[in-house]
Amino acid sequence: MTEVKIVADCAASAESAFAYVNDYQHLPLFINEISAFEPLTEQTEGVDATFDGTISLGPVTLHSTIKIVRHEPGYAIAVKSIKGFEIESTFLFHDRGDDKSTIDAIVDYRVPGGIAGKLLGKTIEPFVKLAVKSSTNNLVTQVAAYHAARTSA
């Protein structure tokens, strides 16, 4: 597996950051490369909630069915593919005091073996790194605005 990890400070509590990411409808807002993301179960949060998603990485469009495999309110959300493109993604939220947190975004992915898999891996790797960095920057900005709206209401 290939791991991409980005760590970013955020002007929001870990609780607000978690709440923002926990709402699946926000995912396409901060991950620009997602072209479709729909729940497959009535349950849309917590362990075993399952989703279908499509992401475009440069010239390649990939599809996965993912399931939430870790859900620790205020601290962690992790998903793992159960069908399609193999991916594991984890968001960790570290509280740094009032209105401050650090978000770790970790993406592990695996391409199939053989020549085609190696070619796919070399094609998407720079796009994955850029997507994770861009998504984390978007997330930090959106979470700060979400947190400000929550705390001023």
Side-chain angles (χ1 to χ4, degrees):
M1 287 199 109
T2 301
E3 179 182 284
V4 178
K5 180 178 181 179
I6 304 290
V7 177
D9 292 326
C10 184
S13 67
E15 177 189 4
S16 285
F18 177 90
Y20 188 82
V21 174
N22 194 48
D23 182 342
Y24 79 92
Q25 295 174 56
H26 291 152
L27 200 64
L29 300 177
F30 66 88
I31 302 177
N32 295 329
E33 294 77 12
I34 289 181
S35 57
F37 194 75
E38 297 295 328
L40 295 177
T41 55
E42 283 189 38
Q43 177 186 344
T44 59
E45 63 180 62
V47 173
D48 292 332
T50 306
F51 303 86
D52 243 1
T54 302
I55 190 166
S56 297
L57 297 169
V60 179
T61 299
L62 303 166
H63 178 80
S64 290
T65 300
I66 62 168
K67 181 183 279 193
I68 297 177
V69 295
R70 181 177 180 191
H71 190 268
E72 298 174 46
Y75 178 68
I77 298 175
V79 300
K80 183 176 182 177
S81 61
I82 57 173
K83 183 179 173 188
F85 180 67
E86 287 188 60
I87 189 163
E88 293 179 39
S89 183
T90 303
F91 288 96
L92 300 174
F93 310 94
H94 306 283
D95 192 28
R96 302 288 183 227
D98 291 340
D99 299 331
K100 293 180 195 157
S101 62
T102 300
I103 300 172
D104 298 354
I106 306 155
V107 176
D108 286 316
Y109 65 94
R110 180 175 298 170
V111 294
I115 294 172
K118 285 184 181 182
L119 182 59
L120 175 63
K122 290 204 179 294
T123 301
I124 68 170
E125 184 175 4
F127 294 103
V128 171
K129 288 180 179 178
L130 286 171
V132 174
K133 184 174 176 67
S134 171
S135 297
T136 304
N137 289 337
N138 291 342
L139 179 61
V140 166
T141 301
Q142 292 171 23
V143 164
Y146 175 79
H147 177 72
R150 279 179 90 192
T151 56
S152 68

